[in-house]
C-alpha cells in the first residue's frame, strides 16, 4: 500500500496528521455477520491514557498513583477524595473539577470517545501497547487466530454486487469453506463448532451463503462512481489491506494464512469484463441478468491481497499477445489518453526489479498478469493486490503537457513501489503486522532506488531529504513505535503500523544496512531471501539469516565482528535513534564521540556505523563504515589538525543526528560560508541544515549559532541542502505563527537567503533542464511565495491574470502550483470562481487536486466559507479522500484563515460534525494548535457560551487550549532567555550578513 503522508505543517512544527479516517465515516454499517473486528483490553488502554492525561496536565502525582491501586474501588471514591483535597487547600477549585471529570470519565466510560487517534493527535503517538506484565495480557492471545496446525487449502468465492433494484447497494456472497456460534461480542469473533473433534490431517469443507452491504467508505468491498456524458456510472471495487477482506468474505484474515483462491464474479450483463488478481479462466457464462466470470486459481497468497473490480472501466493500453508478461492500464473511458506513461513505467519496473532480484515476475505463476487500475475513489494512494494494482486516479494517470514534474514523479515512484510489492509483500509476506516494514520498508526503498532506472528522476538523490530526514522528526517524538513491534493486538494497533516509521524509517534502515554490507552483497542477499521464503510468510530473522549467509560468502563483514542480526536488531527493535555528540580537543586533535538517545533520558545503545571526513582528509565518497560503535563513548583512532573541521556520517548514510562542540560548529559554519562549502558533500550539507533546525528547536543549539551556520544558504544552489532548509523554515514558520514580530524577522532573513537562488533559477523553464531542476524550481517558487517574495508574488499575479484574460493560454504545467495559489491569494471572488469552475470541468484528476488545494489560498472570506460548506455537504463535489485535505489547505492557506475556520465550525457545529464524524474533534484541535494567545482567550469565552458542543468536544477543546497556551508561553520564555528579542535577532543577522562575501554560485 502506498500512502501519501502529509505535506503540511501544524503549529507545533509537526506535519499535520492528514491520516485519512474516512473509514470511520461510513454511512452504512456492515450487516454481514462474519465481520470480525477485534478489540483488546480497552479497560487497560483507558487507564494508560488517563495517566498520560493527568501527567500532561501536571497535576499532583497522587492522581496518577491511583491508577495502580484497585481501579474499580477508587471509582466511587474520586468525588470524595477530590472534595477532601479541595477542603485541605491542596487544589484550587477548577483543577479539582477537571480531575473529577477526567477520572470519572476514564473509569466510568470504558467505551468513551477518548481514542488512541485523538490522543496521538494531541500529544503525538504516546500510547504504549499492552505491557507484557499486564493483568489483561491473556486478552492479547485472544486477538490472534491460532496458527499451529491449520492449513487453509483453498477458498472458492462467488460474489454478486447489485447496483439497482431491491437489493441496491448490497452484494450476495458464497464461499466454499457448518454450525456457527453468534458473534463474540467482546472480540467480534465468529466461531464455527463441530459435533466432534476433527481428526488430524482431516480435510474440512465449509460452505456459507451470505449477503452484505456495498459500502461507500472506500474500504472492504465498496462502491464508487464516475460520470460519463453527464451520467453516473457505478462500479464496485475492493480495498482489503490490512483487515478488510473479512468485509467481503469470511476468511482467516491474517497475512500468515496463505491459501489459494478461486474467485468468481456475477457482473451485470452490460458491464465490461471484471478484473481480479488472475487471468480470466474461459469466457463469461450468461446467468440471467448477469454474466458469470471465473478467474484462474491464485498461487498461495494472503487474504488482504485479493481484489476484484466490477465496472465499465476500459484499458487505456494493453500489451500484445506475444509478450512474456501481460500488462494493461485501466481507467474510466474519459481518461483513456492518460495511460501511456504508466504503461511504459509498468513494463520497465517489472523488468528492472526482476533483474535486480534475479527472480523474474513471469516465474511466479503462469496465470498472473499485471493490471494497473485508476480508481475514482480510493483511500490509500495505491494498493499492491497481486496482479491487480489499484491507484487513486491522480497517482496513475499522466497527461503529457498537462501533468507536472511532481505528478510524473508520483506516478513513476508509486508504480515502482507497488511493483516491488509483487516480490516484497505478495510473494513473500510479513507474518504479522508487527513486521509490516518487511513489506513497506522494502517497497519504499525500491521506489527510491529503482525508479531512476525506469525514468531518470534523481530519486536516489532525493531519498535522504524526502524519507530519512522527514522520519527523524517523527521518530524523535515519544512515539514508542519500534519498526518490529511485538505489541500489535488490535485493528487500531495495526493502523498505526502504516505510519512514516514503517515506510520511511524502514527504508532508511534498509539503506543503512545496504551501505553496511555493500550494495552487491545486499542485492544477492535479498534475492536469496525471496527465493527461500517465496509463497511463505516471513519474520525479520529470515531476512537477516539470508543477508548474513551472503555476507559470509562475500566476506563483507569480516572487518567488523558484528552480525547482520545484531546490527539490525538494534535499529528495528528500539524506537527512536541516537544523537552522536562530537568533541574535538583542539590542542591534541583527539576526537571523542558519544551516543545517547535523542531527546530521552534512556540508556539505549545502537550499533552505529561511523564514517567521517575532515578538512585535511577529505573522504565523502565512501559510505562503508570505518567501524561500528556499540558502546556509549569512543575515541577515533585518527587525530585531526587543530583548525580542521570534521563531518561525521558521510552522505548521511546512518540513521542518526550529530551535534558538534561549539568550536567545531564555528569551523563548520566558516567552511560552509567559504570555499570549503563545495568540498562537503551536498547530502552532508543537507544533513547539517536538518540537524541544526532540530537541535535549535530542542534548545540544544542556540538560535545565534543556528543563524550563523545557516547563512551559507545564501551561496547554496544544490537541491539537497535547500530541500532540508525548505522543510526547516516551514516548520519554524509554523512554530512562530503566533508571534508576528518574530515571523517578520524570520521572513526577512529567509528572503535574503533565497533571493540569489530565485535569481539564478528564474521563473521560466529552460530547454534541456532535467527532472530534478524542474522540480527544484517548483519548490523554490512555492517556498519563495510562501514567504511573500516580491518577484514571486508579481510573477504569480501576471501568470494568473494572463490566464484569466484568455483561459486557452494555459499556465505552464510546472508553474501552476504557485501561480494558482498566489494568483488567487492576490485576487478577488471572480478569480476564485474561475478556478472553481476549472475544478468542476477539468478532466485531469491531478490538475483538479492542485486547484482544490490552491483554493485554500484565497483570502475572500465568503468564498472560503462556501468552499467549506461544499466540502462538508452530503452532495459534495469533492471526493471523500480529498475532503480533509481541503480543510487542511484552507487552515494553512493564510494565518487569517484560522479565524475563518474557527468561526465556521462554531456557526455550523451540526453539519461539520455530521460530515467529519470522528474527525470533528481532531479538526477543532488542529485549529486550536494554530491560535495565538488572543484567539485562545476568545475561544475560551466562546466555549463557555456555546451549548452545541458535546461534553467530550468541550473537554478536548479545553485541554488543547491549555496545552497550546503552555507551548506559546514556553517558547516566549526561551526567546527571552536567549536574549533574542526580535530587534536583537535583526542586529545579529545584519552583522552576519555584512561579514559575508558576495555569493559565488556554482553549477
Ligand atoms: Zn506499499
Amino acid at each position: 500500500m502506498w500512502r501519501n503522508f502529509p505535506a503540511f505543517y501544524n503549529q507545533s512544527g509537526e506535519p499535520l496528521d492528514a491520516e485519512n479516517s474516512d473509514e470511520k465515516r461510513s454511512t452504512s454499517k456492515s450487516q454481514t455477520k462474519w465481520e470480525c473486528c477485534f478489540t483488546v483490553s480497552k479497560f487497560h488502554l483507558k487507564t494508560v491514557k488517563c495517566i498520560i492525561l493527568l501527567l500532561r496536565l501536571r497535576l499532583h502525582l497522587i492522581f496518577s498513583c491511583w491508577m495502580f491501586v484497585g481501579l474499580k474501588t477508587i471509582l466511587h471514591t474520586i468525588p470524595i477524595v477530590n472534595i477532601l483535597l479541595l477542603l485541605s487547600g491542596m487544589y484550587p477549585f477548577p483543577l479539582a473539577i477537571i480531575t473529577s471529570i477526567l477520572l470519572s470519565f476514564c473509569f466510568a466510560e470504558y467505551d468513551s470517545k477518548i481514542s488512541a487517534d485523538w490522543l496521538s493527535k494531541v500529544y503525538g503517538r504516546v500510547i504504549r501497547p499492552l505491557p507484557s506484565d499486564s493483568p489483561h495480557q491473556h486478552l492479547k492471545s485472544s486477538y490472534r487466530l491460532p496458527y499451529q496446525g491449520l492449513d487453509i487449502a483453498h477458498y472458492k468465492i462467488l460474489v454478486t454486487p447489485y447496483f439497482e433494484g431491491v437489493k441496491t447497494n448490497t452484494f450476495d456472497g458464497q464461499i466454499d469453506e457448518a454450525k456457527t456460534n453468534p458473534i463474540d461480542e467482546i472480540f467480534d469473533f465468529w466461531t464455527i463448532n463441530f459435533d466432534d473433534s476433527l481428526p488430524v490431517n482431516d480435510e474440512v469443507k465449509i460452505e456459507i451463503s451470505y449477503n452484505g452491504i456495498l459500502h461507500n467508505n472506500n474500504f472492504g468491498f465498496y462502491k464508487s462512481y464516475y460520470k460519463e456524458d453527464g451520467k453516473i456510472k457505478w462500479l464496485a471495487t475492493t480495498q482489503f489491506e490490512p483487515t478488510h477482506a473479512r468485509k467481503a468474505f469470511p476468511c482467516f484474515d491474517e497475512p500468515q494464512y496463505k491459501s489459494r483462491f478461486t474467485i468468481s464474479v456475477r457482473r451485470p450483463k452490460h458491464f465490461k469484463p471484471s478484473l481480479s488478481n488472475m487471468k480470466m479462466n474461459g469466457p463469461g457464462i450468461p446467468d440471467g441478468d448477469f454474466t458469470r466470470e471465473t478467474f484462474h486459481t491464485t498461487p498461495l497468497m494472503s487474504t488482504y491481497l485479493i481484489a476484484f473490480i466490477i465496472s465499465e472501466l476500459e484499458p487505456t493500453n494493453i500489451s500484445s499477445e506475444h509478450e512474456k508478461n501481460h500488462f494493461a492500464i485501466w481507467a474510466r473511458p474519459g481518461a483513456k489518453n492518460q495511460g501511456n506513461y504508466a504503461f511504459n513505467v509498468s513494463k520497465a519496473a517489472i523488468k528492472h526489479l526482476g533483474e535486480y532480484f534475479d527472480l523474474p515476475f513471469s516465474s511466479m505463476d503462469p496465470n498472473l498478469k499485471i493490471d494497473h487500475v485508476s480508481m475514482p475513489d480510493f483511500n490509500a494512494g495505491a494498493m499492491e493486490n497481486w496482479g491487480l494494482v489499484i491507484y487513486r486516479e491522480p497517482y496513475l494517470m499522466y497527461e503529457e503537457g498537462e501533468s507536472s514534474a511532481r505528478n510524473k514523479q508520483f506516478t513513476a515512484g508509486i508504480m515502482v513501489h507497488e511493483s516491488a510489492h509483487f516480490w516484497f509483500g505478495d510473494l513473500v509476506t510479513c507474518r504479522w503486522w508487527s513486521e509490516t516494514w518487511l513489506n513497506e520498508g522494502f517497497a519504499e526503498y525500491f521506489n527510491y532506488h529503482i525508479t531512476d532506472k525506469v525514468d531518470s528522476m534523481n530519486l536516489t538523490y532525493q531519498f535522504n531529504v524526502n524519507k530519512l530526514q522527514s522520519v527523524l522528526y517523527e521518530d524523535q517524538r515519544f512515539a514508542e513505535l519500534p519498526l518490529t513491534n511485538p505489541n500489535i493486538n488490535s485493528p487500531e494497533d495495526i493502523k498505526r503500523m502504516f505510519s512514516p516509521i514503517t515506510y520511511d524509517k524502514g527504508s532508511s534502515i534498509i539503506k543503512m544496512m545496504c551501505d553496511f554490507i555493500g550494495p552487491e552483497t545486499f542485492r544477492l542477499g535479498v534475492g536469496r531471501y525471496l527465493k527461500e521464503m517465496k509463497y511463505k510468510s516471513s519474520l525479520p530473522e529470515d531476512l537477516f539469516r539470508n543477508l548474513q549467509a551472503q555476507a559470509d560468502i562475500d566476506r563483507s563483514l569480516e572487518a567488523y565482528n558484528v552480525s547482520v542480526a545484531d546490527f539490525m536488531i538494534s535499529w528495528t527493535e528500539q524506537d527512536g535513534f541516537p544523537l552522536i555528540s562530537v568533541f574535538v580537543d583542539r590542542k591534541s586533535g583527539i576526537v571523542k564521540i558519544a551516543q545517547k538517545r535523542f531527546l530521552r533520558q534512556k540508556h539505549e545503545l545502537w550499533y552505529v556505523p561511523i564514517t567521517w571526513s575532515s578538512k585535511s582528509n577529505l573522504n565523502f565518497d565512501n559510505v562503508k563504515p570505518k567501524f561500528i560503535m556499540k558502546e556509549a563513548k569512543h575515541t577515533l583512532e585518527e587525530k585531526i589538525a587543530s583548525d580542521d573541521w570534521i563531518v561525521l556520517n558521510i552522505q548521511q548514510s546512518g540513521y542518526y543526528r550529530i551535534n558538534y562542540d561549539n568550536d567545531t560548529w564555528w569551523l563548520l559554519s566558516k567552511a560552509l560560508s567559504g570555499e570549503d562549502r563545495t568540498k562537503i558533500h551536498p547530502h552532508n550539507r543537507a544533513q547539517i541544515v536538518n540537524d541544526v533546525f532540530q537541535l535549535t528547536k530542542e534548545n540544544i543549539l542556540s538560535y545565534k549559532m543556528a543563524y550563523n551556520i545557516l547563512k551559507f544558504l545564501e551561496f547554496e544552489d544544490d537541491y539537497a541542502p535547500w530541500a532540508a532548509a525548505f522543510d526547516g523554515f516551514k516548520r519554524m514558520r509554523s512554530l512562530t505563527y503566533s508571534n508576528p514580530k518574530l515571523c517578520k524577522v524570520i521572513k526577512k532573513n529567509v528572503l535574503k537567503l533565497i533571493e540569489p537562488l530565485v535569481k539564478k533559477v528564474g521563473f521560466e523553464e529552460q530547454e534541456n533542464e532535467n527532472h530534478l531542476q524542474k522540480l527544484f524550481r517548483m519548490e523554490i517558487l512555492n517556498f519563495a511565495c510562501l514567504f511573500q517574495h516580491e518577484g514571486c508574488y508579481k510573477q504569480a499575479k501576471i501568470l494568473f491574470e494572463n490566464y484569466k484574460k484568455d483561459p486557452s493560454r494555459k499556465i505552464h504545467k510546472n508553474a501552476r502550483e504557485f501561480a494558482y495559489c498566489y494568483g488567487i491569494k492576490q485576487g478577488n471572488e471572480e478569480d476564485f470562481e474561475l478556478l472553481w469552475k476549472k475544478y468542476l470541468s477539468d478532466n485531469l484528476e491531478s490538475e483538479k487536486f492542485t486547484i482544490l488545494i490552491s483554493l485554500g489560498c484565497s483570502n475572500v472570506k465568503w468564498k472560503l466559507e462556501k468552499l467549506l460548506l461544499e466540502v462538508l455537504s452530503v452532495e459534495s463535489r469533492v471526493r471523500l479522500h480529498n475532503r480533509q485535505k481541503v480543510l487542511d489547505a484552507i487552515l494553512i492557506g493564510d494565518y487569517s484563515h484560522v479565524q475563518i475556520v474557527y468561526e465556521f465550525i462554531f456557526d455550523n457545529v451540526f453539519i461539520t460534525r455530521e460530515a467529519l464524524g470522528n474527525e470533528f474533534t481532531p479538526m477543532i484541535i488542529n485549529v486550536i494548535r494554530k491560535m495565538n494567545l488572543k484567539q485562545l482567550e476568545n475561544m475560551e469565552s466562546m466555549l463557555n457560551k456555546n451549548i452545541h458542543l458535546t461534553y467530550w468536544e468541550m473537554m478536548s477543546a479545553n485541554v488543547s487550549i491549555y496545552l497550546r497556551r503552555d507551548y506559546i508561553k514556553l517558547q516566549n520564555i526561551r526567546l527571552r532567555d536567549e536574549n533574542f528579542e526580535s530587534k536583537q535577532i535583526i542586529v545579529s543577522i545584519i552583522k552576519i550578513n555584512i561579514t559575508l562575501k558576495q555569493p559565488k554560485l556554482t553549477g
Side-chain angles (χ1 to χ4, degrees), residues 468 471-472 475 501 504-505 508-509 512 571 576-578 609 649 652-657:
L468 191 152
V471 78
L472 286 175
D475 204 17
I501 298 293
D504 301 348
K505 182 176 181 179
S508 300
I509 300 300
M512 181 167 69
W571 296 96
F577 56 87
N649 199 7
Q652 202 175 16
S653 160
Y655 185 78
Y656 50 91
R657 292 197 187 283

PDB file of all heavy atoms in Angstrom, residues 468 471-472 475 501 504-505 508-509 512 571 576-578 609 649 652-657:
ATOM      1  N   LEU A 468      14.538   9.956   4.939  1.00  0.00           N
ATOM      2  CA  LEU A 468      15.302   9.853   6.185  1.00  0.00           C
ATOM      3  C   LEU A 468      15.094  11.080   7.084  1.00  0.00           C
ATOM      4  O   LEU A 468      14.757  10.956   8.254  1.00  0.00           O
ATOM      5  CB  LEU A 468      16.775   9.662   5.840  1.00  0.00           C
ATOM      6  CG  LEU A 468      17.704   9.275   6.985  1.00  0.00           C
ATOM      7  CD1 LEU A 468      18.882   8.470   6.451  1.00  0.00           C
ATOM      8  CD2 LEU A 468      18.239  10.436   7.771  1.00  0.00           C
ATOM      9  N   VAL A 471      11.481  11.427   8.502  1.00  0.00           N
ATOM     10  CA  VAL A 471      11.061  10.475   9.533  1.00  0.00           C
ATOM     11  C   VAL A 471      11.843  10.659  10.835  1.00  0.00           C
ATOM     12  O   VAL A 471      11.382  10.258  11.903  1.00  0.00           O
ATOM     13  CB  VAL A 471      11.120   9.023   9.025  1.00  0.00           C
ATOM     14  CG1 VAL A 471      12.530   8.466   9.009  1.00  0.00           C
ATOM     15  CG2 VAL A 471      10.215   8.137   9.880  1.00  0.00           C
ATOM     16  N   LEU A 472      13.006  11.297  10.761  1.00  0.00           N
ATOM     17  CA  LEU A 472      13.708  11.595  12.014  1.00  0.00           C
ATOM     18  C   LEU A 472      12.826  12.485  12.899  1.00  0.00           C
ATOM     19  O   LEU A 472      12.788  12.328  14.122  1.00  0.00           O
ATOM     20  CB  LEU A 472      15.048  12.291  11.745  1.00  0.00           C
ATOM     21  CG  LEU A 472      16.194  11.420  11.195  1.00  0.00           C
ATOM     22  CD1 LEU A 472      17.403  12.277  10.872  1.00  0.00           C
ATOM     23  CD2 LEU A 472      16.596  10.331  12.172  1.00  0.00           C
ATOM     24  N   ASP A 475      10.299  10.154  14.455  1.00  0.00           N
ATOM     25  CA  ASP A 475      10.844   9.141  15.339  1.00  0.00           C
ATOM     26  C   ASP A 475      11.396   9.736  16.628  1.00  0.00           C
ATOM     27  O   ASP A 475      11.594   9.038  17.610  1.00  0.00           O
ATOM     28  CB  ASP A 475      11.949   8.382  14.583  1.00  0.00           C
ATOM     29  CG  ASP A 475      12.175   6.989  15.148  1.00  0.00           C
ATOM     30  OD1 ASP A 475      11.292   6.498  15.873  1.00  0.00           O
ATOM     31  OD2 ASP A 475      13.237   6.410  14.879  1.00  0.00           O
ATOM     32  N   ILE A 501       6.989   5.698  10.217  1.00  0.00           N
ATOM     33  CA  ILE A 501       8.034   4.867  10.822  1.00  0.00           C
ATOM     34  C   ILE A 501       8.247   3.626   9.951  1.00  0.00           C
ATOM     35  O   ILE A 501       9.363   3.295   9.556  1.00  0.00           O
ATOM     36  CB  ILE A 501       7.650   4.459  12.272  1.00  0.00           C
ATOM     37  CG1 ILE A 501       7.498   5.689  13.174  1.00  0.00           C
ATOM     38  CG2 ILE A 501       8.658   3.457  12.846  1.00  0.00           C
ATOM     39  CD1 ILE A 501       8.774   6.450  13.447  1.00  0.00           C
ATOM     40  N   ASP A 504       9.223   5.038   6.062  1.00  0.00           N
ATOM     41  CA  ASP A 504      10.397   5.882   5.855  1.00  0.00           C
ATOM     42  C   ASP A 504      11.579   5.466   6.733  1.00  0.00           C
ATOM     43  O   ASP A 504      12.716   5.443   6.278  1.00  0.00           O
ATOM     44  CB  ASP A 504      10.030   7.358   6.105  1.00  0.00           C
ATOM     45  CG  ASP A 504       8.918   7.808   5.166  1.00  0.00           C
ATOM     46  OD1 ASP A 504       8.629   7.060   4.216  1.00  0.00           O
ATOM     47  OD2 ASP A 504       8.333   8.881   5.373  1.00  0.00           O
ATOM     48  N   LYS A 505      11.266   5.139   8.015  1.00  0.00           N
ATOM     49  CA  LYS A 505      12.371   4.625   8.825  1.00  0.00           C
ATOM     50  C   LYS A 505      12.761   3.248   8.292  1.00  0.00           C
ATOM     51  O   LYS A 505      13.940   2.922   8.204  1.00  0.00           O
ATOM     52  CB  LYS A 505      11.966   4.520  10.303  1.00  0.00           C
ATOM     53  CG  LYS A 505      13.105   4.036  11.189  1.00  0.00           C
ATOM     54  CD  LYS A 505      12.755   4.019  12.653  1.00  0.00           C
ATOM     55  CE  LYS A 505      13.924   3.557  13.501  1.00  0.00           C
ATOM     56  NZ  LYS A 505      13.628   3.555  14.939  1.00  0.00           N
ATOM     57  N   SER A 508      14.901   3.704   5.369  1.00  0.00           N
ATOM     58  CA  SER A 508      16.184   4.313   5.765  1.00  0.00           C
ATOM     59  C   SER A 508      17.104   3.286   6.419  1.00  0.00           C
ATOM     60  O   SER A 508      18.323   3.285   6.191  1.00  0.00           O
ATOM     61  CB  SER A 508      15.952   5.469   6.749  1.00  0.00           C
ATOM     62  OG  SER A 508      15.159   6.456   6.155  1.00  0.00           O
ATOM     63  N   ILE A 509      16.527   2.411   7.254  1.00  0.00           N
ATOM     64  CA  ILE A 509      17.341   1.385   7.923  1.00  0.00           C
ATOM     65  C   ILE A 509      17.812   0.356   6.890  1.00  0.00           C
ATOM     66  O   ILE A 509      18.946  -0.136   6.952  1.00  0.00           O
ATOM     67  CB  ILE A 509      16.534   0.705   9.065  1.00  0.00           C
ATOM     68  CG1 ILE A 509      16.105   1.741  10.114  1.00  0.00           C
ATOM     69  CG2 ILE A 509      17.325  -0.430   9.705  1.00  0.00           C
ATOM     70  CD1 ILE A 509      17.220   2.484  10.787  1.00  0.00           C
ATOM     71  N   MET A 512      20.686   1.893   5.159  1.00  0.00           N
ATOM     72  CA  MET A 512      21.865   1.892   6.026  1.00  0.00           C
ATOM     73  C   MET A 512      22.499   0.491   6.037  1.00  0.00           C
ATOM     74  O   MET A 512      23.724   0.347   5.995  1.00  0.00           O
ATOM     75  CB  MET A 512      21.458   2.321   7.442  1.00  0.00           C
ATOM     76  CG  MET A 512      22.593   2.393   8.432  1.00  0.00           C
ATOM     77  SD  MET A 512      22.115   3.238   9.950  1.00  0.00           S
ATOM     78  CE  MET A 512      20.967   2.080  10.657  1.00  0.00           C
ATOM     79  N   TRP A 571      18.411  -1.474  15.582  1.00  0.00           N
ATOM     80  CA  TRP A 571      17.641  -0.404  14.929  1.00  0.00           C
ATOM     81  C   TRP A 571      16.168  -0.753  14.767  1.00  0.00           C
ATOM     82  O   TRP A 571      15.321   0.141  14.730  1.00  0.00           O
ATOM     83  CB  TRP A 571      18.236  -0.103  13.549  1.00  0.00           C
ATOM     84  CG  TRP A 571      19.627   0.419  13.637  1.00  0.00           C
ATOM     85  CD1 TRP A 571      20.796  -0.289  13.510  1.00  0.00           C
ATOM     86  CD2 TRP A 571      20.021   1.770  13.929  1.00  0.00           C
ATOM     87  NE1 TRP A 571      21.880   0.532  13.692  1.00  0.00           N
ATOM     88  CE2 TRP A 571      21.436   1.805  13.939  1.00  0.00           C
ATOM     89  CE3 TRP A 571      19.315   2.952  14.167  1.00  0.00           C
ATOM     90  CZ2 TRP A 571      22.157   2.971  14.192  1.00  0.00           C
ATOM     91  CZ3 TRP A 571      20.033   4.105  14.406  1.00  0.00           C
ATOM     92  CH2 TRP A 571      21.431   4.113  14.421  1.00  0.00           C
ATOM     93  N   GLY A 576      13.076   5.284  18.205  1.00  0.00           N
ATOM     94  CA  GLY A 576      13.991   6.416  18.335  1.00  0.00           C
ATOM     95  C   GLY A 576      15.329   6.158  17.659  1.00  0.00           C
ATOM     96  O   GLY A 576      15.483   5.198  16.885  1.00  0.00           O
ATOM     97  N   PHE A 577      16.295   7.017  17.974  1.00  0.00           N
ATOM     98  CA  PHE A 577      17.617   6.920  17.351  1.00  0.00           C
ATOM     99  C   PHE A 577      18.600   7.713  18.209  1.00  0.00           C
ATOM    100  O   PHE A 577      18.199   8.517  19.050  1.00  0.00           O
ATOM    101  CB  PHE A 577      17.575   7.485  15.920  1.00  0.00           C
ATOM    102  CG  PHE A 577      17.069   8.895  15.857  1.00  0.00           C
ATOM    103  CD1 PHE A 577      17.936   9.968  16.011  1.00  0.00           C
ATOM    104  CD2 PHE A 577      15.713   9.153  15.668  1.00  0.00           C
ATOM    105  CE1 PHE A 577      17.462  11.270  15.972  1.00  0.00           C
ATOM    106  CE2 PHE A 577      15.233  10.453  15.639  1.00  0.00           C
ATOM    107  CZ  PHE A 577      16.106  11.516  15.783  1.00  0.00           C
ATOM    108  N   PRO A 578      19.905   7.508  17.981  1.00  0.00           N
ATOM    109  CA  PRO A 578      20.874   8.216  18.823  1.00  0.00           C
ATOM    110  C   PRO A 578      21.240   9.608  18.308  1.00  0.00           C
ATOM    111  O   PRO A 578      21.133   9.887  17.114  1.00  0.00           O
ATOM    112  CB  PRO A 578      22.105   7.310  18.776  1.00  0.00           C
ATOM    113  CG  PRO A 578      22.004   6.591  17.476  1.00  0.00           C
ATOM    114  CD  PRO A 578      20.546   6.498  17.123  1.00  0.00           C
ATOM    115  N   PRO A 609      26.938   2.902  12.641  1.00  0.00           N
ATOM    116  CA  PRO A 609      28.004   2.889  11.637  1.00  0.00           C
ATOM    117  C   PRO A 609      28.674   4.257  11.593  1.00  0.00           C
ATOM    118  O   PRO A 609      28.003   5.273  11.405  1.00  0.00           O
ATOM    119  CB  PRO A 609      27.272   2.598  10.327  1.00  0.00           C
ATOM    120  CG  PRO A 609      25.862   3.013  10.568  1.00  0.00           C
ATOM    121  CD  PRO A 609      25.602   2.936  12.039  1.00  0.00           C
ATOM    122  N   ASN A 649      29.263  10.918   9.541  1.00  0.00           N
ATOM    123  CA  ASN A 649      28.126  10.299   8.842  1.00  0.00           C
ATOM    124  C   ASN A 649      28.107  10.694   7.361  1.00  0.00           C
ATOM    125  O   ASN A 649      27.236  11.442   6.905  1.00  0.00           O
ATOM    126  CB  ASN A 649      26.804  10.688   9.520  1.00  0.00           C
ATOM    127  CG  ASN A 649      25.678   9.730   9.143  1.00  0.00           C
ATOM    128  OD1 ASN A 649      25.910   8.705   8.488  1.00  0.00           O
ATOM    129  ND2 ASN A 649      24.471  10.067   9.551  1.00  0.00           N
ATOM    130  N   GLN A 652      25.110  11.144   4.975  1.00  0.00           N
ATOM    131  CA  GLN A 652      24.016  10.823   5.898  1.00  0.00           C
ATOM    132  C   GLN A 652      23.487   9.409   5.635  1.00  0.00           C
ATOM    133  O   GLN A 652      22.292   9.188   5.524  1.00  0.00           O
ATOM    134  CB  GLN A 652      22.870  11.844   5.796  1.00  0.00           C
ATOM    135  CG  GLN A 652      22.002  11.853   7.055  1.00  0.00           C
ATOM    136  CD  GLN A 652      20.930  12.938   7.037  1.00  0.00           C
ATOM    137  OE1 GLN A 652      20.619  13.495   5.998  1.00  0.00           O
ATOM    138  NE2 GLN A 652      20.354  13.215   8.193  1.00  0.00           N
ATOM    139  N   SER A 653      24.431   8.497   5.568  1.00  0.00           N
ATOM    140  CA  SER A 653      24.050   7.103   5.354  1.00  0.00           C
ATOM    141  C   SER A 653      23.451   6.498   6.623  1.00  0.00           C
ATOM    142  O   SER A 653      22.558   5.673   6.568  1.00  0.00           O
ATOM    143  CB  SER A 653      25.292   6.312   4.932  1.00  0.00           C
ATOM    144  OG  SER A 653      25.098   4.956   5.143  1.00  0.00           O
ATOM    145  N   GLY A 654      23.949   6.946   7.791  1.00  0.00           N
ATOM    146  CA  GLY A 654      23.468   6.406   9.065  1.00  0.00           C
ATOM    147  C   GLY A 654      22.237   7.155   9.572  1.00  0.00           C
ATOM    148  O   GLY A 654      22.072   8.342   9.295  1.00  0.00           O
ATOM    149  N   TYR A 655      21.431   6.445  10.321  1.00  0.00           N
ATOM    150  CA  TYR A 655      20.153   6.982  10.787  1.00  0.00           C
ATOM    151  C   TYR A 655      20.331   7.616  12.171  1.00  0.00           C
ATOM    152  O   TYR A 655      20.005   7.027  13.194  1.00  0.00           O
ATOM    153  CB  TYR A 655      19.144   5.827  10.836  1.00  0.00           C
ATOM    154  CG  TYR A 655      17.731   6.219  11.188  1.00  0.00           C
ATOM    155  CD1 TYR A 655      16.891   6.795  10.238  1.00  0.00           C
ATOM    156  CD2 TYR A 655      17.225   5.989  12.461  1.00  0.00           C
ATOM    157  CE1 TYR A 655      15.591   7.139  10.544  1.00  0.00           C
ATOM    158  CE2 TYR A 655      15.924   6.328  12.783  1.00  0.00           C
ATOM    159  CZ  TYR A 655      15.123   6.908  11.829  1.00  0.00           C
ATOM    160  OH  TYR A 655      13.826   7.246  12.136  1.00  0.00           O
ATOM    161  N   TYR A 656      20.953   8.800  12.199  1.00  0.00           N
ATOM    162  CA  TYR A 656      21.134   9.488  13.484  1.00  0.00           C
ATOM    163  C   TYR A 656      21.423  10.963  13.264  1.00  0.00           C
ATOM    164  O   TYR A 656      21.690  11.397  12.151  1.00  0.00           O
ATOM    165  CB  TYR A 656      22.262   8.838  14.304  1.00  0.00           C
ATOM    166  CG  TYR A 656      23.578   8.622  13.598  1.00  0.00           C
ATOM    167  CD1 TYR A 656      24.585   9.587  13.634  1.00  0.00           C
ATOM    168  CD2 TYR A 656      23.841   7.435  12.909  1.00  0.00           C
ATOM    169  CE1 TYR A 656      25.810   9.375  13.015  1.00  0.00           C
ATOM    170  CE2 TYR A 656      25.072   7.219  12.275  1.00  0.00           C
ATOM    171  CZ  TYR A 656      26.041   8.195  12.322  1.00  0.00           C
ATOM    172  OH  TYR A 656      27.261   7.992  11.706  1.00  0.00           O
ATOM    173  N   ARG A 657      21.340  11.725  14.348  1.00  0.00           N
ATOM    174  CA  ARG A 657      21.687  13.140  14.294  1.00  0.00           C
ATOM    175  C   ARG A 657      23.068  13.339  14.921  1.00  0.00           C
ATOM    176  O   ARG A 657      23.521  12.493  15.709  1.00  0.00           O
ATOM    177  CB  ARG A 657      20.668  13.982  15.073  1.00  0.00           C
ATOM    178  CG  ARG A 657      19.301  14.034  14.450  1.00  0.00           C
ATOM    179  CD  ARG A 657      18.499  15.190  15.015  1.00  0.00           C
ATOM    180  NE  ARG A 657      17.129  15.161  14.550  1.00  0.00           N
ATOM    181  CZ  ARG A 657      16.735  15.540  13.335  1.00  0.00           C
ATOM    182  NH1 ARG A 657      17.630  15.974  12.469  1.00  0.00           N
ATOM    183  NH2 ARG A 657      15.467  15.483  12.998  1.00  0.00           N
TER     184      ARG A 657
END
